[in-house]
Structure formats: C-alpha cells, structure tokens
Amino acid sequence: MAYNGKVYIQTTRHLYCFGKKGNNPGLAPDPEPEKWPAAGTAKSLQIIPSEVTLRPGHTASFHARSIDANGFTVEQLPDTKALKWASYIPPTARVKSTMKASFDAEGHLVAGNETAPSAGAFEATLGPLKGYIRGRVLPYLPLHQDFEWMTLSEANAADGAGFRISTPSVDRRAIQIRGPRERRK
C-alpha cells in the first residue's frame, strides 16, 4: 500500500515502510469533515429492541426515540412510561396471531405464564407518532407434543380419494426407545 510518498508492506511478523522521513510536500490537506444532516420533524417512533424472545413469566424493557422521514434521530424519549402500548396485527398479515404478553405500568413487557408458544406484535403510540415491536414467547425445553388425542380423516380434493388414519391401541409399556447407536436384536 502506498500513502504519503511511502510504500507500506505487511508481513506475518512486521510492517515495513519504504520512503523518506516526514510528510510528503505533495500530500493534499485533510478534507473538511462532512456535516451531519439536521433531522427534520418527527414522523415515527423507533423502539429498541425491535424484536424480543421471552420465556414464560420473563420481562423485557425498551427505550424509544423519535425519528424523521429519513431515519435520523429527532430526540431520545427519556420516559417510556408515556408510551401507550396495544396488541397489533398488521392488516396484511397472513397469520393473525397475538403474543401472550402484556405491558405493565412501568412500561415493561411481561410474558404470560402459559407454556404454549405465541408470537405477535405491539404498537407504541405517543401522540401522532407510532412504533412497532415483534416478539415471541417460547416455552422451556423439553417440549412435549402429543397427538394421541386426534383422529385424522380427510378426503383428497383432487381425485376424491379418501383415507383415514387412526391411532391403534398401543400398550405403552411394550414400547422401547433405542438410542441412535443401539441395534435391534
């Protein structure tokens, strides 16, 4: 690499510089730093973090700032207690689901104690400004899925063929679970 009339070479152990000591008289002066554009009027809220994953009973806290149409920060909101939170389902959402959580008086998101997974969004409002977060509540491991209660009965719409799957009565004591390396005898 060459800079200021010198050649720099990096090896695995050293950095070498070839050239005369001092500054090169032909070196252009440093350019003036560009000024940061001034923020316009506030158009929306930016909630941080914008996505959360919680376990049942856990909480999450947020902070917010107002931003202009270009995403520049107008001001930091010192008190998130002033935000009004409501469960939100976007009008274009294909899956209409809500997160099993709510906001307390302090402005913290508190996940419900239910062990069923859930996901959804919340809308924060402060006057005319709005901001959004998304979140999930995931249960602790191990998960237990049991489909023993159901009977599947369905007809194929394409050719009208029907099939039926039902669970036979099984003696659970006769089932043996083998590890991945165990072989059947």
Side-chain angles (χ1 to χ4, degrees), residues 52-88:
V52 294
T53 302
L54 299 173
R55 299 288 184 191
H58 285 192
T59 63
S61 59
F62 301 90
H63 64 279
R65 57 185 169 203
S66 59
I67 57 174
D68 68 1
N70 295 318
F72 294 114
T73 301
V74 176
E75 72 170 320
Q76 296 283 343
L77 300 177
D79 186 18
T80 56
K81 294 178 194 175
L83 296 174
K84 303 294 183 227
W85 293 94
S87 183
Y88 177 73

Side-chain angles (χ1 to χ4, degrees), residues 31-52:
E32 288 291 322
E34 291 184 30
K35 291 186 178 179
W36 194 260
T41 59
K43 296 289 183 188
S44 64
L45 295 174
Q46 182 180 32
I47 312 298
I48 301 166
S50 62
E51 294 190 8
V52 294

Side-chain angles (χ1 to χ4, degrees), residues 100-125:
K100 293 180 180 151
S102 60
F103 280 87
D104 63 8
E106 297 294 316
H108 298 114
L109 181 63
V110 181
N113 287 325
E114 301 157 8
T115 57
S118 66
F122 282 92
E123 178 181 64
T125 307

